[in-house]
Amino acid sequence: MLIDTHAHLQDKALKADLKEVLKRAKEAGVKKIICIGYDYPTSVEAVELARKYEGIYAVVGVHPHDAKELDEETLDKLYQLAREEKVVAVGEIGLDYYRNLSPREKQKEAFIAQIKLAREAGKPVVIHDRDAHQEVLDIIKKEKAGLNGGVMHCYSGYLPMAIELMKEGFYISFAGPVTFNNARKTVEVAANIPLERMLIETDCPYLAPEPVRGKRNEPAYVSYVAGKIAEIKRKSWEEVAYITSLNAEKVFHLR
């Protein structure tokens, strides 16, 4: 069994043929998919998909790109969503200093507010970090963001940070970029942390792995990520699939 721990199934790139996408995922051995929101409307859509399809679970939250739009009313509505039965985490939340689509102070405020929301809801967090490694780590430590468990999605940091994150209760998730030829830093992290603290994901429809790089990504392609991790760790594909699925079930409390 495989679990794609980070997919945007509600994205317009997947809507037209979602049933076929889900069928291909099932045929590839992907039994469970975590559908991630990135603002309030897409969080609602994630919940609706989780209600509709067996094996799909939702994560609700506001991405740092939209942090400037997060107000008390939206936080209240997110809290109500977070209490739904098939909502398994709050995310994706964090900081993005690469595109800076929201002011950095607003990003920090939204990040901290949603960590507190997750704590109140008793849910883990799914974190987005781009070019903001130290600030993300500082906030995680100060706010005890890993209290209910957490996932650093599509990990792009260095090994020392990954070690610190694991001490804080986080799992490190790898997506398509670990398969890229220039992924030396990410490969080093994957080689040096325990398989028992690793997750795999697609981040579809983005970041398609080799050998489908450049195409629309979809959950079936998480199989390629599993294959690359197996190569790096010198394990069988089956062992990687089994252990990363156990890890996902543990952090997200999947049934």
Side-chain angles (χ1 to χ4, degrees):
M1 180 176 78
L2 290 163
I3 298 178
D4 182 358
T5 61
H6 199 108
H8 299 292
L9 297 176
Q10 71 279 61
D11 192 278
K12 60 185 179 183
L14 294 165
K15 277 187 177 178
D17 61 339
L18 184 59
K19 286 187 178 179
E20 289 76 16
V21 166
L22 295 177
K23 183 182 177 188
R24 286 192 291 273
K26 191 173 182 180
E27 288 167 352
V30 182
K31 303 300 184 189
K32 296 175 182 176
I33 302 168
I34 313 296
C35 183
I36 312 286
Y38 44 87
D39 57 17
Y40 182 70
T42 57
S43 295
V44 170
E45 288 180 283
V47 173
E48 289 170 349
L49 287 170
R51 287 175 183 155
K52 184 175 181 179
Y53 293 103
E54 186 179 354
I56 293 179
Y57 299 84
V59 172
V60 300
V62 173
H63 191 286
H65 287 342
D66 296 298
K68 61 182 179 290
E69 309 296 337
L70 185 63
D71 54 21
E72 286 299 323
E73 182 186 354
T74 305
L75 274 170
D76 288 343
K77 291 193 291 186
L78 282 173
Y79 179 70
Q80 295 305 317
L81 276 185
R83 298 174 70 190
E84 289 258 350
E85 184 182 1
K86 289 187 79 178
V87 173
V88 295
V90 171
E92 63 185 280
I93 64 176
L95 303 176
D96 191 310
Y97 290 176
Y98 177 74
R99 296 185 69 186
N100 285 310
L101 296 185
S102 281
R104 292 186 178 188
E105 282 308 309
K106 286 288 185 185
Q107 291 189 42
K108 290 178 185 177
E109 288 170 14
F111 187 18
I112 292 166
Q114 291 179 97
I115 289 170
K116 290 177 178 175
L117 185 155
R119 189 181 307 130
E120 289 171 22
K123 299 289 169 78
V125 290
V126 175
I127 291 181
H128 171 103
D129 163 29
R130 191 165 186 192
D131 289 3
H133 303 324
Q134 191 58 54
E135 287 92 337
V136 165
L137 186 58
D138 290 346
I139 289 171
I140 284 170
K141 287 182 174 182
K142 184 178 179 184
E143 300 296 328
K144 296 181 171 54
L147 197 64
N148 296 314
V151 177
M152 186 59 68
H153 125 78
C154 192
Y155 189 69
S156 61
Y158 290 93
L159 179 59
M161 181 180 175
I163 292 167
E164 289 298 307
L165 286 164
M166 290 188 293
K167 289 177 185 175
E168 295 295 319
F170 277 75
Y171 287 76
I172 309 299
S173 187
F174 296 89
V178 75
T179 71
F180 298 170
N181 292 330
N182 62 348
R184 289 186 297 275
K185 181 174 67 172
T186 311
V187 168
E188 180 191 11
V189 175
N192 285 282
I193 67 170
L195 186 55
E196 288 72 22
R197 299 303 294 273
M198 296 169 66
L199 300 174
I200 54 175
E201 60 168 277
T202 58
D203 198 19
C204 68
Y206 315 106
L207 300 176
E210 302 287 357
V212 290
R213 190 173 181 182
K215 296 182 180 180
R216 180 192 71 174
N217 203 1
E218 58 181 71
Y221 298 157
V222 77
S223 161
Y224 294 117
V225 181
K228 183 63 178 182
I229 297 298
E231 176 191 321
I232 294 166
K233 303 297 281 184
R234 298 181 181 177
K235 305 279 188 183
S236 69
W237 183 95
E238 289 78 9
E239 186 175 358
V240 169
Y242 177 69
I243 293 178
T244 57
S245 294
L246 283 183
N247 297 343
E249 290 180 334
K250 184 176 180 182
V251 70
F252 291 118
H253 304 286
L254 304 181
R255 287 181 256 165

